[in-house]
Amino acid sequence: MTDGAAIDIKNLSQYFGQGQLRKQVLFDITLQIKSGEIVILTGPSGSGKTTLLTLIGGLRSAQEGSLQVLGREMCGASPDDLVRARRSIGYIFQAHNLHKSLTALQNVRMGLELHEQYSVADMQRKSAEMLEHVGLGNRINYYPDDLSGGQKQRVAIARALVSHPKIVLADEPTAALDSKSGRDVVNLMQKLAKEQGCTILMVTHDNRILDVADRIIHMEDGKLSNGFEEPQQSLSH
């Protein structure tokens, strides 16, 4: 892995299906993302953005080429290897994916369940602190149905960041939010990521939040445009 790269991808190709139904969905992707960078991935629906995110996140094994995440090769990785890789990664999805039967605190605590080093008391304390951090200290015992859309997404961010992951992957995190809630959520992600020194890769169609990125990359038809990353247009922070 190149020094300072959290994600290092070379000539990555991916296919869905078998035999005559086999279809290539990613074509020869080469991309490097440095530790601590905030990178936004844009492109039309069906262009392969979410597929790339799931491979980086260890949600399925990569097939061809090289995909190194924090120095760990994900191409051809075993299910156990993928589980180990996921311990260093936080996920934020468009649908907040909160469990309705759990309180905000219990939902955030799920972000620590894979980490055996924490006692129950540690998990409770860390989860409460993280909710305080995202401005929901007075909502820790609320259930998702009693929270607004923006508040639910803040709980999802707290869950993703509570274990201090080295990488956060976000798939359309503002899609279901109004412009103010979306901006608040992204500013919060940016602030917490900088404090924790983690790398963020975010898929979005939301042009209102592009200015949080250090870099913007465009994907179309399973390829990065021109094979190069789009340079950032002097966006303000």
Side-chain angles (χ1 to χ4, degrees):
M1 183 174 82
T2 310
D3 280 350
I7 299 166
D8 199 358
I9 305 173
K10 290 190 177 73
N11 309 115
L12 176 70
S13 293
Q14 190 77 5
Y15 305 81
F16 286 158
Q18 301 291 326
Q20 289 184 316
L21 296 176
R22 191 172 192 241
K23 177 172 184 272
Q24 189 165 358
V25 288
L26 295 180
F27 297 81
D28 202 30
I29 302 284
T30 293
L31 170 67
Q32 202 177 85
I33 298 176
K34 296 192 199 85
S35 294
E37 251 192 314
I38 298 178
V39 174
I40 282 181
L41 184 57
T42 66
S45 294
S47 58
K49 305 182 303 296
T50 296
T51 298
L52 182 59
L53 219 60
T54 60
L55 296 179
I56 293 169
L59 299 176
R60 58 159 62 102
S61 182
Q63 292 165 338
E64 274 181 19
S66 173
L67 168 54
Q68 291 195 11
V69 178
L70 303 170
R72 193 189 297 270
E73 180 58 65
M74 308 290 271
C75 232
S78 71
D80 285 349
D81 289 337
L82 295 178
V83 169
R84 277 190 286 274
R86 291 199 290 268
R87 287 182 183 146
S88 303
I89 299 171
Y91 305 89
I92 303 167
F93 300 100
Q94 172 179 342
H96 42 76
N97 291 352
L98 300 181
H99 288 264
K100 285 189 170 188
S101 61
L102 301 179
T103 63
L105 184 74
Q106 290 167 329
N107 268 290
V108 173
R109 216 183 97 168
M110 290 187 71
L112 294 170
E113 300 286 349
L114 279 173
H115 301 266
E116 294 152 6
Q117 70 268 38
Y118 298 122
S119 68
V120 171
D122 280 342
M123 289 197 281
Q124 292 286 101
R125 179 179 52 77
K126 282 177 171 295
S127 301
E129 284 171 359
M130 201 60 183
L131 282 165
E132 189 76 47
H133 232 32
V134 302
L136 292 176
N138 59 343
R139 297 278 192 281
I140 64 173
N141 294 317
Y142 280 51
Y143 289 90
D145 283 349
D146 299 321
L147 298 172
S148 70
Q151 288 170 335
K152 287 176 195 168
Q153 200 60 304
R154 286 176 185 223
V155 175
I157 290 171
R159 180 180 58 193
L161 291 171
V162 69
S163 64
H164 286 245
K166 295 189 170 68
I167 294 173
V168 170
L169 302 175
D171 195 357
E172 298 281 4
T174 64
L177 303 177
D178 62 52
S179 57
K180 182 182 185 310
S181 299
R183 166 54 62 182
D184 289 348
V185 156
V186 168
N187 286 349
L188 185 63
M189 283 171 63
Q190 182 186 33
K191 172 175 175 282
L192 295 178
K194 292 296 183 195
E195 285 173 7
Q196 295 189 6
C198 77
T199 305
I200 291 183
L201 176 59
M202 187 188 320
V203 166
T204 188
H205 286 104
D206 189 346
N207 292 332
R208 301 167 304 190
I209 62 171
L210 297 181
D211 58 309
V212 301
D214 297 312
R215 220 163 18 125
I216 299 167
I217 300 166
H218 188 74
M219 187 176 238
E220 199 144 346
D221 298 328
K223 305 180 180 98
L224 294 184
S225 288
N226 310 319
F228 294 101
E229 292 138 47
E230 182 181 311
Q232 173 160 344
Q233 312 297 314
S234 62
L235 298 171
S236 63
H237 276 266

